Amino acid sequence: MKAFMIERYNDKGGGRITEAPDPQVGADDVLVRVHAASVNPLDFKIRDGGFKVILPYRLPLVLGNDLAGVVVEVGADVTRFAVGDEVYARPDKDRIGTFAELIAIHQNDLAPKPATLTMAEAASLPLVALTSWQALVEKAQVQPGQKVLIHAGSGGVGTIALQLARQLGAHVATTAGAANADLVKELGADVVVDYRTQDFEEALDGYDVVLDTLGGETLEKSLRVLRPGGKVISIAGPPDADFARELGANLVLRQAMNALSLKTRRHAKRQGVTYSFLFMKADGDQLRELTRLIDAGEIRPVVDRVFPFSQTREAMEYAEKGRAKAGKVVVTMV
């Protein structure tokens, strides 16, 4: 099969399409012919070695973290899918590689593709939709009437998290540029703070939950817009000990991650709020819940641009340099 691979870490101009062995299909695996895959910041972080201590991938490595496609083979113990099914997924963190013609995925990580979407639209969703679900439903347990701030509302995660927060009955604020104000309002934002001209820390107060997608100074300020007992959930801040435990990391690595987030957790404690790091996980059942919302028209994908597979490197560069006006960048294999 053809696949887009990197041969070494931190090679920003690297990656090429080459021949790779077809995936091996285990008893619980589903072999999917990939029709489309989307580009995520996680791809850049993996390429640059940002997770090599906690996710020691073997190089050369096929990049890509979500997809939509068609089932072409099933393992002996597979009961949930059949050849010909249209599916979408975020593969398990240990089995990435969606920038390829084929991928083998555990049946529990797959879900039927939303019937109302094209392959390209469906491929834009799994990673960002699962991130939004796990942040707002699992971790934050957002309730109707709560105040939720979602940073970068026109980004990949933001466009989906806004819609999900609205479905949960929250009062939603977001940060976005003026050019995207109408879009994020349409997606569910009640309050839009123009990050170029306004300081969200001065504009907002008394929030129950913040979904931080940016880290750094934005994360520190987010702690101060929460009410006492509020929660910041970050996908861009320092990892914490809970994340290390979820990974099954050894004691040394757990202590190291605890140290990385110590400053942020101390600041949170002084504010009477809590901080947690989220590294989303594959989950086919959660995707099925999201599919129901998608097919009901409650959540829709936002796709900025679609590239052919032959231009995967260009697609990554386009996304990494922030050229997308809103939503996701997608690569189509078929």
Side-chain angles (χ1 to χ4, degrees), residues 72-84:
V72 293
E73 183 182 339
V74 296
D77 295 337
V78 170
T79 58
R80 308 182 79 174
F81 298 94
V83 172

Side-chain angles (χ1 to χ4, degrees), residues 132-168:
S132 301
W133 184 276
Q134 290 166 23
L136 299 178
V137 177
E138 259 193 344
K139 276 186 172 284
Q141 299 180 356
V142 170
Q143 301 299 311
Q146 286 190 317
K147 297 170 67 176
V148 176
L149 168 60
I150 295 165
H151 284 294
S154 63
V157 171
T159 53
I160 305 306
L162 285 175
Q163 297 176 77
L164 181 58
R166 177 178 61 186
Q167 288 306 308
L168 295 171

Side-chain angles (χ1 to χ4, degrees), residues 31-326:
L31 184 66
V32 178
R33 181 165 299 282
V34 180
H35 283 228
S38 75
V39 179
N40 294 282
L42 181 57
D43 297 308
F44 315 138
K45 293 177 183 178
I46 291 172
R47 178 202 62 196
D48 295 341
F51 289 110
K52 64 183 179 182
V53 174
I54 56 178
L55 296 174
Y57 294 115
R58 180 179 297 177
L59 298 173
L61 174 68
V62 182
L63 289 177
N65 282 275
D66 50 11
L67 76 134
V70 175
V71 175
V72 293
E73 183 182 339
V74 296
D77 295 337
V78 170
T79 58
R80 308 182 79 174
F81 298 94
V83 172
D85 287 350
E86 294 187 341
V87 294
Y88 72 150
R90 187 287 202 244
D92 183 77
K93 60 181 172 41
D94 297 322
R95 302 183 67 177
I96 69 169
T98 63
F99 294 155
E101 293 178 320
L102 296 166
I103 186 169
I105 304 175
H106 195 286
Q107 62 175 329
N108 291 344
D109 298 336
L110 275 173
K113 181 185 78 67
T116 54
L117 301 184
T118 66
M119 286 289 184
E121 289 171 335
S124 74
L125 286 172
L127 188 142
V128 295
L130 285 170
T131 298
S132 301
W133 184 276
Q134 290 166 23
L136 299 178
V137 177
E138 259 193 344
K139 276 186 172 284
Q141 299 180 356
V142 170
Q143 301 299 311
Q146 286 190 317
K147 297 170 67 176
V148 176
L149 168 60
I150 295 165
H151 284 294
S154 63
V157 171
T159 53
I160 305 306
L162 285 175
Q163 297 176 77
L164 181 58
R166 177 178 61 186
Q167 288 306 308
L168 295 171
H171 171 89
V172 188
T174 193
T175 53
N180 286 318
D182 288 342
L183 171 66
V184 296
K185 287 177 182 177
E186 180 186 335
L187 295 175
D190 300 292
V191 177
V192 181
V193 178
D194 184 347
Y195 69 89
R196 290 191 176 93
T197 62
Q198 296 175 275
D199 185 340
F200 76 88
E201 185 184 0
E202 295 179 1
L204 306 174
D205 185 53
Y207 276 70
D208 298 281
V209 177
V210 178
L211 174 52
D212 167 46
T213 60
L214 301 171
E217 184 182 5
T218 298
L219 170 56
E220 291 301 314
K221 287 184 174 184
S222 294
L223 298 171
R224 298 192 286 270
V225 305
L226 290 167
R227 64 162 179 78
K231 304 173 184 177
V232 170
I233 298 162
S234 179
I235 61 173
D240 56 17
D242 286 343
F243 170 58
R245 280 191 289 272
E246 289 174 11
L247 277 181
N250 60 40
L251 178 61
V252 173
L253 193 52
R254 290 203 303 272
Q255 290 175 334
M257 289 192 190
N258 207 39
L260 284 173
S261 61
L262 181 60
K263 179 181 175 183
T264 301
R265 288 184 290 106
R266 281 179 172 170
H267 286 180
K269 188 174 182 180
R270 282 198 290 270
Q271 298 291 329
V273 301
T274 58
Y275 165 79
S276 62
F277 175 75
L278 172 66
F279 188 94
M280 61 77 55
K281 59 185 181 295
D283 194 311
D285 288 336
Q286 289 180 358
L287 268 184
R288 289 170 188 263
E289 294 291 332
L290 286 155
T291 297
R292 281 194 275 273
L293 292 173
I294 294 162
D295 281 338
E298 305 294 350
I299 291 178
R300 66 175 177 89
V302 179
V303 176
D304 178 86
R305 184 171 171 186
V306 178
F307 287 79
F309 183 42
S310 61
Q311 295 180 16
T312 301
R313 186 187 297 175
E314 290 83 353
M316 290 187 64
E317 180 181 350
Y318 177 87
E320 187 174 19
K321 291 187 175 180
R323 294 175 183 165
K325 294 181 177 66

